Amino acid sequence: MLAAAPNATPVNIQEIRVRFFTNEETLLEALKTGAINSTAGLNEHLAEVASLSGYTVEESPLPRVFAIYLNQNKSDLLRDQSVRAALNVALDREAMITQVLNGYGTPAHGPVPEAFFSASSSSLKTATDTLAVAAQTLSEGGWEQTEEGTWQHIIDEATTTLAITIRTANSPLFEATARFIEESWSELGVVVNVELYEQSDLVQAVIRPRDYQALLFGADIGRSLDLYPFWHSAEREDPGLNVALYTNITTDKLLQDIRVTQDAETRDELLQQFEQEVTAEAPAIFLFNPSFVYVMKSGITSPPLTRMSRSSERFSSIADWYMDESRVWSIFAD
């Protein structure tokens, strides 16, 4: 390992050694002791890593959208526009990112990752995302709050309580996100139940048969922003990825045009029209776009991480990485 000095000169890295660890705890310990000098994969310990001296933390947005996909075929109350709107504005996305991602992410208000599309969801953000606005939205939609704080409405001549079950993967990221949502919606007065599944069970027993009211899931869209598999009506049934079961003739045509359009400006316009159409109908509640985080020992310099679609792309500029090398006057050398 090369050492840094005040009068250091840069040298390219001649050798890279890759080590593997069974869990984040041993990986973090190796970083602390100097056994390694750079790493990704410390998602659960980023707060501790950020507090360590002698390290820098690089981050890059990923083309992934985490959202709650609403299956309106499984729940009459989710067909109510006021319910979907209230559930959406009741979530403080900035607080969610701080609590769940240690701040390494950006709020999502639409299906297109903002960092990969300049005209994306920032324009969809409003300054009124509060529980008070959510409660007002429900009241205006005909819902009445009981003395216990829950909400009720008559649907198909039956009194219905606003209750929703979220199904998601049994992993630290998804569980933490689900618990944040549960707490937020419960504070609004919604009865919330969270069900966690192992990944294989979630796919086979929940996603494939579309057996959920609300599915907390992440879509890896890719740098090309091909949204067709996730939103075209032809992809509603298994093995399609349209888990919101979204159907819209207008957006179907837009998605088809986006795929074949070569002109960048025209494609951006089509993407913007698509996003506006989807967010207006609210088939999903968009949450955040996570960032890829890479920790490096101070003294290692690399080009900024930009528009990555895979974590392995952090090495695409490895030839330009360098470390500081101490320079010693020859009279002091042996």
Side-chain angles (χ1 to χ4, degrees):
M1 186 176 294
L2 300 175
N7 59 344
T9 57
V11 295
N12 287 102
I13 298 172
Q14 302 298 318
E15 181 183 57
I16 296 177
R17 296 179 182 178
V18 180
R19 296 183 61 184
F20 297 90
F21 298 86
T22 57
N23 53 59
E24 285 198 20
E25 286 70 23
T26 55
L27 175 59
L28 179 62
E29 186 62 26
L31 192 68
K32 289 179 176 180
T33 60
I36 59 174
N37 52 23
S38 63
T39 184
L42 283 171
N43 300 321
E44 297 177 45
H45 296 83
L46 288 177
E48 185 173 356
V49 169
S51 67
L52 295 177
S53 61
Y55 292 93
T56 60
V57 179
E58 300 284 341
E59 67 173 309
S60 175
L62 291 170
R64 298 174 185 169
V65 180
F66 281 68
I68 305 168
Y69 297 93
L70 305 173
N71 185 349
Q72 298 179 41
N73 294 337
K74 283 284 185 179
S75 174
D76 292 339
L77 62 87
L78 290 177
R79 298 192 192 108
D80 188 329
Q81 178 74 21
S82 66
V83 169
R84 302 198 303 277
L87 294 176
N88 181 48
V89 301
L91 297 176
D92 185 338
R93 289 161 176 79
E94 294 286 359
M96 183 188 303
I97 290 168
T98 299
Q99 181 173 317
V100 174
L101 300 175
N102 294 295
Y104 295 104
T106 55
H109 299 277
V112 185
E114 184 175 341
F116 290 76
F117 178 47
S118 58
S120 187
S121 54
S122 60
S123 62
L124 304 170
K125 165 67 176 171
T126 67
T128 58
D129 290 2
T130 64
L131 290 175
V133 172
Q136 180 180 350
T137 301
L138 288 174
S139 295
E140 292 175 352
W143 290 81
E144 296 182 358
Q145 196 162 23
T146 66
E147 294 182 358
E148 293 76 19
T150 59
W151 293 88
Q152 291 186 341
H153 189 32
I154 297 177
I155 299 178
D156 294 333
E157 300 182 355
T159 301
T160 302
T161 298
L162 182 50
I164 189 167
T165 297
I166 302 171
R167 293 183 171 180
T168 191
N170 184 20
S171 71
L173 173 58
F174 284 106
E175 181 176 6
T177 305
R179 297 306 178 192
F180 182 95
I181 296 166
E182 178 185 23
E183 181 177 344
S184 300
W185 286 354
S186 295
E187 189 175 350
L188 174 62
V190 181
V191 179
V192 184
N193 181 40
V194 174
E195 296 181 358
L196 303 175
Y197 293 78
E198 296 305 316
Q199 183 65 32
S200 60
D201 294 334
L202 182 71
V203 172
Q204 296 299 325
V206 176
I207 296 177
R208 294 192 67 178
R210 305 305 198 239
D211 185 18
Y212 49 85
Q213 281 186 314
L215 175 69
L216 173 57
F217 204 60
D220 188 350
I221 295 170
R223 188 163 39 214
S224 64
L225 301 184
D226 182 11
L227 295 157
Y228 185 103
F230 303 98
W231 292 101
H232 196 278
S233 60
E235 302 292 325
R236 287 177 301 148
E237 304 297 331
D238 179 64
L241 298 176
N242 183 354
V243 291
L245 283 73
Y246 183 62
T247 303
N248 184 306
I249 296 175
T250 301
T251 55
D252 280 354
K253 180 63 166 57
L254 288 169
L255 289 168
Q256 293 164 8
D257 292 343
I258 289 168
R259 271 193 159 183
V260 300
T261 299
Q262 299 299 316
D263 180 71
E265 185 175 344
T266 302
R267 190 170 186 271
D268 280 355
E269 291 176 358
L270 294 173
L271 276 169
Q272 189 171 19
Q273 292 175 37
F274 163 78
E275 182 162 70
Q276 290 173 346
E277 188 77 21
V278 170
T279 53
E281 294 197 299
I285 298 171
F286 302 98
L287 303 175
F288 56 75
N289 311 126
S291 295
F292 170 75
V293 181
Y294 197 63
V295 184
M296 290 191 292
K297 189 82 171 179
S298 298
I300 303 175
T301 303
S302 67
L305 303 174
T306 57
R307 292 176 63 89
M308 294 173 52
S309 60
R310 295 287 184 272
S311 60
S312 58
E313 291 179 6
R314 67 186 182 276
F315 294 124
S316 61
S317 61
I318 192 67
D320 299 321
W321 292 27
Y322 62 87
M323 298 179 67
D324 293 335
E325 180 185 57
S326 297
R327 184 166 59 195
V328 181
W329 290 100
S330 59
I331 60 173
F332 296 114
D334 292 337

